[in-house]
Amino acid sequence: MKRKITLKQIAKELDVSISTVSKALSGSKEISEDTTQKIQAFAKLYNYRPNNIALSLKNRKTKTIGIIIPEIVHHFFSTVIRGIELVANKRGYNVIVGLSNESFTKEIINMEMLAGGSIDGFILSISKETLLKQDYHHFNATINQGMPIVLFDRVVNEVDCDKVIVDDFKGSLKAVNKLLSTGCKNIGLITTMDYVSVGRLRTQGYLEALEDGKINADANLILKIDDSLDVEGHLDVLENEIEKFFKSNKKIDGVFAVNELYAVTAMKVARKLGFKIPDDIQVIGFTDGVLSKHATPSLTTVSQHGQKIGEKAADLLIDRLELEESESIDYIEETERNENFKTVIIETELIERDSTK
Amino acid sequence: MKRKITLKQIAKELDVSISTVSKALSGSKEISEDTTQKIQAFAKLYNYRPNNIALSLKNRKTKTIGIIIPEIVHHFFSTVIRGIELVANKRGYNVIVGLSNESFTKEIINMEMLAGGSIDGFILSISKETLLKQDYHHFNATINQGMPIVLFDRVVNEVDCDKVIVDDFKGSLKAVNKLLSTGCKNIGLITTMDYVSVGRLRTQGYLEALEDGKINADANLILKIDDSLDVEGHLDVLENEIEKFFKSNKKIDGVFAVNELYAVTAMKVARKLGFKIPDDIQVIGFTDGVLSKHATPSLTTVSQHGQKIGEKAADLLIDRLELEESESIDYIEETERNENFKTVIIETELIERDSTK
DNA sequence: ATAAACAACGAAAACGTTTTCGTGTTGACA
DNA sequence: TGTCAACACGAAAACGTTTTCGTTGTTTAT
């Protein structure tokens, strides 16, 4: 087992100085062709690779970006990571992931761990607990330390940074319009509690669509699930709630659910109660995951394009990192700086499958 | 925007030496209580955190482990990552992920990127292309450079290292036995090409179970899917193949599929052909993912416990890292070292749901 | 009174790079 | 022959730590 070879060892072996080796390897004009050849050959032979850590220390940047997401076993977040990794790698960056597990404390711990020099910037989606507490000081603190953040999906006004979101509002609008245009008169909504911004926005889209269609919203037709406990296993609770919901609203002929789990569960319950899909009840979900595609009947959904979100977020972050590098941001006025934060909106797309007419 | 504060700045500000600051912060007995107090207070005030990169360089270890998996948008791999991250964080390590995307070249590029000092060790699952090429030199090369590797799930004899696998063989055995014990006489197998080791092992389990049950295996009852192209969208191809399979084997009364996608698709096709599940045909899949749980009927599966695999892999790797640290492995004989590589087998579990009797 | 012990601190090396700024050796040219 | 580039290379600083080994004063024991 040979330890990785260093410049120093090459220098010693070839009886030149470290500087000479470094220059020769980078092809500097300063070094004679003879020695350059010799050094490069030797380096190749021993498979020399510069030590990333030393480079990071010297350059004061690590060329890696930190991701913190609430949960990785989740199709949407996985696709976002895939997108981030894709452009990060293409642009010479690595990706290091932390999981907050929807916990405020774990989010902070993870951020502190990574902010200690391991990364150049963050891409993250806020945990539910943090949203509930509305405590965002750790985000602003790291931003103030000069470390850029890009927020995606679950974003918040209190943090001033680049953001990538989905047009939740328009997405829901499209979905509910689809239901209306295929004849639904009593459209139920299955959503989450309001503190998750995406849930709130999707609810608004639903209401707006009804209003546009001259239909009065009925509070009984809105089912809010307390998902603070829907981790796993609470599937039966979900089913029961939805079943009660259907039973107390016999006239429902369409359902819009703010995620695919709710939608698929709604289909299951509906079928159990004897409804035909899409004949008696049509269903549309949000988030085009693996469940939607393989459910029976396959589910019409609003696709969020998670990968595109990830790609865009990575591009935004890296752009900013490399901008700072060139512009020596220390001398830019506070006021100027805050103005050019972008919020990119990724368009949703209605993917029509067999759960609608 | 204040840059992160360093020991040097604290030293300058408080008019002491860098060494004094360092010692005071680590609570060394060498420094008087007065100065210690003063320095610690100052450090807290300015929110000092030691620079990880500098520490990594000094200690020659990064306290981060590299994961390389073929695909992240995949329930099984996500759960493995979750397991790795869990114990890694608990033991003070970070996790940096690379995606090979089932490509040989990308696997190598990713490994080289990370092996350049960014990480202390690898946890990885081999890409399909690599398995097909049977070229494992990059794994052995990094191991020879002194960087430990733990292989999981898709492992291979040619690489000498710690491994964590699932008892694919016994898992299949259990599954097929279950089908036999509930009265199936003609059990079909839907599997992958042989070069993926897990597919091969699961096939062997199937054959063994039939043999134990005194049933002659019938080659017509085995459907091998070429999954080199099943990325996405080739779903219809899969459905067609399975449909042909069913049609040319009218007497099938049970199906064992080596992954949940095949199993769910088989259920879909079967139902389309008018079979009742589980009355006419029973189905069992492998990999307990989100599809199995929410399919209709819910799918009986062999659970691989991905999270447990990840946890175990991380423990193995970190154990080895910290062992090397204490034992100064340079002086251990070659022969001695190779002997204590472990292969841990994670037991599977048959989760019975509604697709079997 | 003097050596020894101790307390409190600083200097410097080391980790592996890159880069700036010398420095000595050539050759050409006046 | 003396001056000046050009050439080829080396020394050293810097990135931010930790740690070993001094180096001071001050106290204790003899």
Side-chain angles (χ1 to χ4, degrees):
Chain A
M1 184 194 71
K2 346 153 212 182
R3 279 243 148 279
K4 290 214 65 181
I5 197 170
T6 74
L7 284 189
K8 191 194 280 194
Q9 295 169 40
I10 299 185
K12 192 172 173 187
E13 214 68 32
L14 262 48
D15 206 48
V16 291
S17 79
I18 298 184
S19 356
T20 305
V21 179
S22 174
K23 290 170 186 165
L25 289 179
S26 67
S28 162
K29 245 318 192 184
E30 252 182 278
I31 307 299
S32 77
E33 212 162 304
D34 269 8
T35 33
T36 300
Q37 294 270 333
K38 194 174 54 175
I39 291 177
Q40 288 189 347
F42 190 90
K44 193 156 296 168
L45 178 63
Y46 281 86
N47 195 33
Y48 169 79
R49 295 260 178 278
N51 182 316
N52 285 335
I53 297 292
L55 285 180
S56 297
L57 182 59
K58 176 135 198 44
N59 302 330
R60 276 125 134 247
K61 62 185 164 208
T62 62
K63 287 276 186 179
T64 96
I65 79 191
I67 305 180
I68 295 183
I69 51 174
E71 171 61 86
I72 198 173
V73 188
H74 199 299
H75 188 266
F76 172 67
F77 286 121
S78 303
T79 55
V80 174
I81 292 190
R82 187 210 258 158
I84 296 175
E85 212 261 355
L86 187 72
V87 342
N89 264 19
K90 193 173 291 165
R91 299 183 66 170
Y93 282 73
N94 272 321
V95 157
I96 159 168
V97 314
L99 272 29
S100 70
N101 207 29
E102 303 286 13
S103 142
F104 176 72
T105 346
K106 235 207 134 194
E107 185 173 89
I108 292 190
I109 292 182
N110 254 307
M111 286 191 68
E112 289 194 342
M113 225 171 152
L114 298 187
S118 309
I119 61 163
D120 295 338
F122 277 110
I123 295 179
L124 53 85
S125 193
I126 308 180
S127 83
K128 279 183 193 165
E129 198 188 347
T130 306
L131 290 170
L132 201 54
K133 280 181 121 91
Q134 305 196 34
D135 181 348
Y136 311 117
H137 76 276
H138 48 306
F139 301 135
N140 289 314
T142 52
I143 290 176
N144 282 334
Q145 301 231 341
M147 177 157 309
I149 291 184
V150 175
L151 249 34
F152 74 89
D153 197 52
R154 296 158 170 190
V155 306
V156 109
N157 279 330
E158 288 86 340
V159 181
D160 208 24
C161 63
D162 289 320
K163 291 160 192 169
V164 183
I165 54 175
V166 122
D167 59 340
D168 289 289
F169 181 81
K170 274 178 61 188
S172 312
L173 206 65
K174 281 189 228 174
V176 178
N177 278 336
K178 164 74 184 175
L179 292 176
L180 289 171
S181 72
T182 49
C184 292
K185 301 295 179 198
N186 296 285
I187 301 176
L189 170 70
I190 306 180
T191 182
T192 62
M193 292 301 184
D194 274 350
Y195 66 89
V196 180
S197 60
V198 299
R200 190 175 55 242
L201 287 169
R202 290 171 196 173
T203 302
Q204 285 173 11
Y206 162 85
L207 294 172
E208 174 86 10
L210 291 188
E211 193 173 331
D212 290 354
K214 314 287 183 207
I215 295 186
N216 288 327
D218 177 355
N220 289 325
L221 284 175
I222 299 183
L223 173 61
K224 291 196 183 186
I225 308 279
D226 178 10
D227 59 351
S228 61
L229 289 178
D230 80 345
V231 266
E232 291 278 311
H234 286 251
L235 196 54
D236 42 348
V237 178
L238 180 61
E239 282 184 31
N240 284 336
E241 290 229 38
I242 294 179
E243 187 165 344
K244 277 193 300 184
F245 180 63
F246 276 128
K247 285 183 173 164
S248 60
N249 292 285
K250 301 279 187 189
K251 50 196 168 46
I252 287 184
D253 52 6
V255 170
F256 173 55
V258 299
N259 60 47
E260 63 171 6
L261 178 58
Y262 293 175
V264 170
T265 309
M267 290 208 297
K268 182 187 251 179
V269 172
R271 207 170 24 222
K272 184 175 140 197
L273 296 178
F275 296 104
K276 297 273 178 230
I277 299 171
D279 304 318
D280 304 331
I281 293 185
Q282 301 186 56
V283 180
I284 297 186
F286 215 107
T287 302
D288 184 39
V290 58
L291 271 183
S292 311
K293 208 170 302 173
H294 298 104
T296 34
S298 57
L299 183 66
T300 295
T301 59
V302 180
S303 167
Q304 305 181 81
H305 294 137
Q307 178 162 345
K308 208 172 284 178
I309 293 179
E311 292 171 11
K312 193 64 201 173
D315 269 325
L316 278 177
L317 181 63
I318 298 178
D319 283 350
R320 187 164 294 275
L321 288 174
E322 311 204 324
L323 183 78
E324 283 184 11
E325 184 179 0
S326 61
E327 284 198 6
S328 181
I329 200 161
D330 299 309
Y331 298 118
I332 301 186
E333 307 287 329
E334 283 280 336
T335 52
E336 264 187 75
R337 220 174 41 238
N338 292 347
E339 272 166 10
N340 50 13
F341 284 124
K342 295 181 199 140
T343 292
V344 175
I345 298 178
I346 304 290
E347 290 286 318
T348 55
E349 181 188 359
L350 189 67
I351 298 189
E352 302 193 19
R353 297 207 183 85
D354 302 335
S355 66
T356 51
K357 291 178 193 167
Chain B
M1 183 194 73
K2 345 151 215 183
R3 280 242 147 277
K4 291 214 64 182
I5 196 170
T6 73
L7 285 189
K8 191 195 281 193
Q9 295 170 40
I10 299 184
K12 192 172 173 188
E13 215 67 32
L14 263 47
D15 207 47
V16 290
S17 79
I18 298 183
S19 356
T20 305
V21 179
S22 174
K23 289 169 187 166
L25 289 179
S26 66
S28 161
K29 246 313 189 190
E30 253 181 277
I31 307 298
S32 77
E33 214 163 301
D34 268 10
T35 34
T36 299
Q37 294 269 334
K38 195 173 55 177
I39 292 178
Q40 288 189 347
F42 191 90
K44 194 155 296 169
L45 178 63
Y46 281 87
N47 195 32
Y48 169 80
R49 296 259 178 278
N51 182 315
N52 284 336
I53 296 294
L55 284 180
S56 296
L57 183 58
K58 177 137 199 42
N59 302 329
R60 278 127 131 244
K61 63 183 163 211
T62 63
K63 287 275 185 181
T64 97
I65 79 191
I67 305 181
I68 295 183
I69 52 173
E71 171 62 87
I72 199 175
V73 187
H74 198 299
H75 188 267
F76 172 65
F77 287 121
S78 303
T79 56
V80 175
I81 292 190
R82 186 210 259 157
I84 296 175
E85 212 260 354
L86 187 72
V87 341
N89 265 18
K90 191 173 295 167
R91 299 182 66 169
Y93 283 71
N94 273 320
V95 157
I96 157 169
V97 314
L99 272 29
S100 70
N101 206 29
E102 303 286 11
S103 142
F104 176 71
T105 346
K106 236 206 132 194
E107 186 173 88
I108 291 189
I109 292 181
N110 253 306
M111 285 191 68
E112 289 194 341
M113 226 172 150
L114 298 187
S118 309
I119 61 163
D120 295 338
F122 277 110
I123 295 179
L124 53 85
S125 194
I126 308 180
S127 83
K128 278 183 192 165
E129 198 188 347
T130 307
L131 290 171
L132 202 52
K133 280 182 121 91
Q134 305 195 32
D135 181 348
Y136 311 117
H137 76 275
H138 48 306
F139 301 134
N140 289 313
T142 53
I143 291 177
N144 282 334
Q145 300 230 342
M147 177 157 308
I149 291 184
V150 175
L151 249 34
F152 74 89
D153 197 52
R154 279 134 72 148
V155 307
V156 108
N157 279 329
E158 287 86 339
V159 181
D160 208 24
C161 63
D162 289 320
K163 292 160 191 169
V164 182
I165 54 176
V166 121
D167 60 340
D168 289 290
F169 180 80
K170 274 177 62 188
S172 312
L173 206 65
K174 282 188 227 174
V176 178
N177 278 336
K178 164 75 183 174
L179 292 176
L180 290 171
S181 72
T182 50
C184 292
K185 300 296 179 196
N186 295 286
I187 301 176
L189 171 69
I190 306 181
T191 181
T192 62
M193 293 300 184
D194 274 350
Y195 66 89
V196 180
S197 59
V198 297
R200 192 175 53 243
L201 287 170
R202 290 171 197 173
T203 303
Q204 286 172 11
Y206 162 85
L207 294 172
E208 174 85 9
L210 291 188
E211 194 172 331
D212 292 353
K214 313 289 183 206
I215 295 186
N216 288 329
D218 177 356
N220 289 325
L221 285 175
I222 299 182
L223 173 62
K224 290 194 183 187
I225 308 278
D226 179 10
D227 59 349
S228 61
L229 289 178
D230 80 344
V231 267
E232 291 277 311
H234 288 252
L235 196 55
D236 43 347
V237 178
L238 181 61
E239 281 184 30
N240 285 336
E241 290 228 38
I242 294 179
E243 188 165 342
K244 276 193 301 184
F245 180 63
F246 276 128
K247 284 184 174 165
S248 61
N249 293 285
K250 303 277 188 188
K251 52 197 168 44
I252 287 184
D253 52 7
V255 170
F256 172 55
V258 299
N259 61 47
E260 61 171 6
L261 178 58
Y262 294 174
V264 170
T265 309
M267 290 207 298
K268 181 187 254 180
V269 173
R271 207 169 25 223
K272 184 175 137 197
L273 296 178
F275 296 104
K276 297 272 179 231
I277 299 171
D279 303 320
D280 303 332
I281 293 185
Q282 301 187 57
V283 180
I284 297 185
F286 215 108
T287 302
D288 185 40
V290 58
L291 271 182
S292 311
K293 209 170 301 173
H294 298 104
T296 34
S298 57
L299 184 65
T300 296
T301 59
V302 180
S303 166
Q304 305 181 81
H305 295 136
Q307 178 161 346
K308 207 173 287 179
I309 294 179
E311 292 171 12
K312 193 63 201 175
D315 269 326
L316 278 177
L317 181 62
I318 298 179
D319 283 350
R320 189 165 293 276
L321 289 174
E322 311 204 323
L323 183 77
E324 284 184 10
E325 184 179 1
S326 61
E327 285 197 5
S328 181
I329 199 160
D330 299 307
Y331 298 119
I332 301 187
E333 306 287 329
E334 282 281 335
T335 52
E336 265 188 74
R337 220 174 42 238
N338 292 348
E339 273 166 9
N340 50 13
F341 284 124
K342 296 182 199 138
T343 293
V344 175
I345 299 178
I346 304 290
E347 290 286 318
T348 55
E349 180 188 0
L350 189 67
I351 298 188
E352 303 193 20
R353 297 206 185 84
D354 302 336
S355 66
T356 51
K357 292 179 193 169

